Amino acid sequence: MAGETNLNQLLATMQPMQRQGEYVFCTLPADQVGTLTSQTIGLFHEDEGLTLMLLRSQADAAGLPYDAVFAMITLTVHSSLEAVGFLAAIATQLASHGISVNPVSAFYHDHLFVPVAQAELALALLHELSQAHTPDTRSDTSP
């Protein structure tokens, strides 16, 4: 099943949902990862080492340092990896309210990592953005 590519449809049906837990980004040299990869919700290979995305409690248990703590918001619409403008619209909405976002796109969904202290506001703003693109809530521009 192909993911959605229509921007208005994506925004109208994104249905943001905050996941349980607090998440962090950590980095390790590739040769020091060991069994941690089975605990991550994501990892990315960079020239400087591996970036791990995992629960804060897992990082603490492994003694891994991190700089910030995030909430994870999943956009439950099945978005296409080829959708144009979806994350740009979301990042713009959040940035206009001073909220940083670290988006991660996976096969079915997009996941947003926002600062824990701003998660509630981010969710409200995402719902507002979605409502603005829902057909029955947009203003009628016909003559």
Side-chain angles (χ1 to χ4, degrees), residues 67-103:
D67 294 329
V69 181
F70 301 93
M72 180 171 66
I73 298 172
T74 296
L75 306 176
T76 61
V77 64
H78 179 186
S79 57
S80 170
L81 289 167
E82 297 180 293
V84 175
F86 185 41
L87 290 175
I90 289 164
T92 299
Q93 173 80 339
L94 297 177
S96 71
H97 291 83
I99 300 174
S100 68
V101 61
N102 295 286

